[in-house]
Amino acid sequence: MSVRTTREPGELFGPRTTLFADVLSVGLATAVVCLPLVTAPAALSTACAVLRGVREDRPATAGRYFGLLRQRLRGGDLAAGAVVLAGVLLLVADLALAGAGLPGARLFAVLAGAIGAGAAVVGLRACARPASLTDWPAAVREAARDAVRDPGGSGLVLLALAAAVLCAWMLLPLAFLAPGPLALALTAVDVRQESA
């Protein structure tokens, strides 16, 4: 992502500080849109699209975020959210059953965790794909291919997710800002993959 590095006349802060503030405002808007839970994939995908626009000198503001979200919100986005919510609930139920002391619980918990991590990587990478704005199945297929072809990028996605979760766990108000840096990291991984 190329960002202007010089200050404009009269500009109080540099462009990187402005980008940081924009990322936080987009993150806050994303967190608010994610509250109904089924809107989470559409919200994160829109945040990635807004942040991707910085490369073309388009503003990364909450206003642009909500404008793009209004244009793209459709039934497929809610279906994607329902699939994600069902998957998370299934993983939580599986891990709860493994914790109940069933035979082979440790192996089952490790396997369920690995499947959950893989699904999270594919889902998050799909949110960063431009195709997610119009076609979720195509975005998921592309993300699954990228997850296999680019294990380094998949590791970066997991690290970004872990950092966002850790920040939210350590200080709850950060949960409302964490989606912005997460979307920036996902977009950077996707742009990195495109230029490789």
Side-chain angles (χ1 to χ4, degrees):
M1 301 182 104
S2 66
V3 177
R4 178 177 58 84
T5 57
T6 58
R7 289 186 190 175
E8 294 290 325
E11 188 176 33
L12 188 57
F13 300 106
R16 290 191 175 120
T17 304
T18 303
L19 177 62
F20 179 67
D22 290 344
V23 165
L24 293 181
S25 71
V26 167
L28 186 58
T30 303
V32 169
V33 173
C34 284
L35 287 177
L37 297 182
V38 294
T39 56
L44 192 57
S45 171
T46 303
C48 290
V50 168
L51 293 174
R52 183 182 292 272
V54 170
R55 294 178 67 200
E56 291 113 29
D57 291 327
R58 286 183 273 163
T61 62
R64 183 163 177 270
Y65 173 84
F66 285 117
L68 185 57
L69 186 67
R70 268 194 304 275
Q71 290 174 5
R72 61 99 25 122
L73 202 57
R74 60 193 190 285
D77 292 318
L78 298 178
V83 167
V84 168
L85 187 59
V88 168
L89 291 175
L90 180 63
L91 179 64
V92 168
D94 286 346
L95 292 176
L97 284 174
L102 297 175
R106 279 190 192 182
L107 179 61
F108 180 74
V110 169
L111 185 61
I115 291 170
V121 166
V122 170
L124 290 171
R125 287 188 87 147
C127 287
R129 303 291 303 167
S132 67
L133 294 173
T134 56
D135 187 8
W136 277 108
V140 171
R141 283 191 301 273
E142 292 170 7
R145 276 194 301 272
D146 287 347
V148 173
R149 289 183 191 156
D150 181 26
S154 297
L156 290 172
V157 168
L158 281 177
L159 286 174
L161 178 61
V165 169
L166 187 62
C167 287
W169 171 76
M170 287 184 348
L171 192 59
L172 192 57
L174 288 181
F176 290 99
L177 298 175
L182 177 62
L184 182 64
L186 296 175
T187 304
V189 168
D190 192 55
V191 168
R192 170 187 162 274
Q193 175 65 22
E194 287 175 2
S195 62

